[in-house]
Amino acid sequence: MRVFFIGFGQAGGKIVDMFLAQDKKLGSTSFRGIVINTARTDLMGVKYIPMEDRLLIGQTMVKGHGVGTDNVTGAKVAADEIDTIINAIDKRGTHDVDAFVVCAGLGGGTGSGGAPVLCRHLKRIYREPVYALGIIPAPEEGRLYSLNAARSLSTLVNEADNVIVFDNSAWKNDGESVKSAFDRLNEEIVRRFGVLFRAGEVNKFGVGEMVVDSSEIINTLRGGGISSVGYAISEAIPKGGRSSSKSGGGLLGGLLGKKDKRQEPHIDITSSEDKSAKIIGLVRRAMLGRLTLPCDYSTAERALVLVAGPPTELDRKGVEKSKSWVEENIAGVEVRGGDYPVDSGYVAAVVLLATIGNAPRIRELMELAKEAKEEVVRSRERATSSMFEDGIDPLFE
């Protein structure tokens, strides 16, 4: 799948930077992208995106200093400079892309306000689907961030073809520093979507028996709303076995997991039934484990199942049984799936749950935002009351 990433704001820019770094490391050309910000210093923080693909907007309004967590201003700046943004996207080349993905942290100002504006105009101009990858803040990050995220997400679901949500609170570990947490969370995002978007690529193993191409992903996400992604990984061989890859990791070894350092060729002693059971177990772990957005998976309208790993460990029957199990456990009946052979010592399962009907974390976010809005109103009322006595004439009117 050829994806054009647009990183809006600091969080979105860092994620796109990591996607392009992964693409460069793998020697692939599947991904391209630009980053957009109102703060000059944030644009300097990315490493793998050329300077010509870093766009500073809002200079006449905020002079390169950012919008200060004000997503209303962020939206206004994006709307005022939308022609500049579209020109930068066109200059990078869009004739062969399969989809646009706008990445943004929804709790801040620039990405939170600008992403919905950009999605609206991209949908108006291009025929390709426009998806948003939105990161929602943890409650402890502050009520202002929750209010921003709620307003942005409520707008995004109407402007993007689908919003894939990543919840920081579900992934942050106790006692972890903010920087290390965000770096790790960004890696989790890129790993999951890197596997998903690369499915169907032709490598030295050819393609899978059941190919998952861009049309499968597009049809899964076509219902709109919000979506979540599950992921599980396992060693490709049981303990006491041998590495399934002479290279110990190969092209996508780093994508699926830690490289296997053993160098001997693999002796395939695993039966078809064992492979099938292993794949079914992986898919169950991916769907029932930690999702990018904790949700009631039984309310999903559509799903996509992808199993990636060395060809000797992939099993058609296992993928088909996994799809049947997922279909039994979601609200809808559309479950697509397939396999993706890669050079790795690991097997990974990705489950995309699309158009989710119930996510308690989103309800909690909306409640926090409602409380924050009421507090803002009360604060304004307090500000209007004066400590100074009436009846004292000012020096001038």
Side-chain angles (χ1 to χ4, degrees), residues 240-278:
R242 294 171 181 261
S243 173
S244 60
S245 171
K246 292 181 181 180
S247 64
L251 182 61
L252 294 186
L255 182 61
L256 296 187
K258 185 180 177 182
K259 293 183 180 180
D260 191 333
K261 295 180 181 178
R262 292 168 291 189
Q263 301 295 315
E264 300 86 357
H266 172 53
I267 301 174
D268 188 10
I269 57 174
T270 310
S271 69
S272 177
E273 288 76 14
D274 289 341
K275 292 178 186 177
S276 179
K278 184 171 187 176

Side-chain angles (χ1 to χ4, degrees), residues 204-243:
K204 68 179 183 179
F205 298 118
V207 295
E209 287 189 53
M210 305 169 66
V211 179
V212 174
D213 58 20
S214 59
S215 63
E216 303 282 328
I217 299 172
I218 290 168
N219 285 331
T220 301
L221 292 171
R222 76 173 189 273
I226 61 172
S227 299
S228 183
V229 176
Y231 179 84
I233 190 167
S234 173
E235 286 187 89
I237 50 178
K239 290 182 179 179
R242 294 171 181 261
S243 173

Side-chain angles (χ1 to χ4, degrees), residues 107-119:
T110 301
S112 174
V117 174
L118 179 56
C119 286

Side-chain angles (χ1 to χ4, degrees), residues 45 56 68 112 120 136 151 171-172 181 210 218 226 228 230 239-240 257 263 326 328 342 355 371 377:
L56 181 67
S112 174
R120 168 179 285 188
I136 59 174
R151 296 175 74 180
W171 290 83
K172 190 176 183 299
M210 305 169 66
I218 290 168
I226 61 172
S228 183
K239 290 182 179 179
Q263 301 295 315
V326 172
E328 291 170 3
V342 294
T355 316
E371 293 173 10
V377 172

